Amino acid sequence: MKKILVLEDEDNIRSFVVINLRRSGFEPIEADCGTAALEKLKQNPDICLALLDVMLPDIDGFEVCRRIRAQGLKIGIIMLTAKSQEIDKVTGLMTGADDYITKPFSPAELTARVDALIRRLGVDDDDQKPVELKSGPFVLNTRNRTLEKNNQRLKLTQIEYLLMKLFMENPGKAMSREDILSAVWGNSFNGELKTVDVNIRRLRMKIEDDPTEPEFLTTVWGYGYKWGY
Ligand code: CA
């Protein structure tokens, strides 16, 4: 799961970003000031992208950006700027940011920008694998994150997509609910195992001919689930 640093001092904006990143299958690492952000980067060298707010209580977001680049880190950087800070975009791009998002932004805009930058940086670990995973009537496209059944596009949430990807990459393998939880939601997610069941139930409604008699995504009693096709 890709780690994304979220530097934002306003709690409500930070949790908005964190929730939406998590929903899209990322693992957010939070920081509420510039020094904390640099510290988190040191602790998590596998962070692939940083979202940096500009106005902060200690050092500003541009300075954080400058210091990240000074360390030679090639992670993606997106500045979060306020509408009135038109000039910030220029400053941000000059200090080494890759992109900027103007506040307020929608969840869709946020994930679109993050996805686009990750693709551009080529850090997407899907790149080395085949773009299409096929299994029975299903075709999962990992580039545009879509699923088709008998050539019909099925509408999946990001979590459902990640579940399908996990199962289709491990055909016939019994997966425990703990494994599924950590693979899809990330290790830092303190969710309940019931989360897995709820999402599997919803996914079955979309992919199974008869969700009460699942044929593809089968239950392994007392353990978890299996892609049985
Ligand atoms: Ca701020």
Side-chain angles (χ1 to χ4, degrees), residues 12-119:
N12 54 344
I13 301 180
R14 196 175 62 248
S15 18
F16 168 82
V17 172
V18 162
I19 287 165
N20 284 291
L21 288 178
R22 216 168 259 157
R23 210 168 270 163
S24 305
F26 296 107
E27 185 180 343
I29 308 286
E30 299 181 51
D32 60 1
C33 67
T35 22
L38 293 166
E39 194 50 42
K40 296 275 165 140
L41 267 168
K42 222 177 282 168
Q43 293 162 359
N44 299 276
D46 52 338
I47 285 175
C48 69
L49 193 144
L51 296 169
L52 308 179
D53 178 30
V54 176
M55 298 292 281
L56 297 160
D58 54 352
I59 43 173
D60 73 38
F62 295 133
E63 182 54 29
V64 175
C65 178
R66 213 172 283 128
R67 291 194 198 174
I68 292 174
R69 290 305 185 219
Q71 290 172 35
L73 291 177
K74 290 200 172 57
I75 63 168
I77 297 179
I78 299 178
M79 305 301 298
L80 305 176
T81 67
K83 229 189 182 104
S84 56
Q85 299 165 327
E86 220 43 34
I87 187 75
D88 288 355
K89 294 170 185 170
V90 184
T91 320
L93 297 175
M94 275 170 52
T95 49
D98 299 294
D99 200 0
Y100 56 85
I101 307 177
T102 309
K103 294 183 205 172
F105 45 83
S106 65
E109 188 180 4
L110 174 72
T111 42
R113 294 295 190 86
V114 166
D115 282 341
L117 182 53
I118 285 179
R119 254 198 319 273

Side-chain angles (χ1 to χ4, degrees), residues 7 16 19 56-57 113 117 144 154 163 188 192 195 214 217-218 226:
L7 168 58
F16 168 82
I19 287 165
L56 297 160
R113 294 295 190 86
L117 182 53
N144 46 29
L154 301 180
L163 282 168
S188 59
E192 292 177 52
T195 312
L217 194 40
T218 51
K226 184 174 85 167

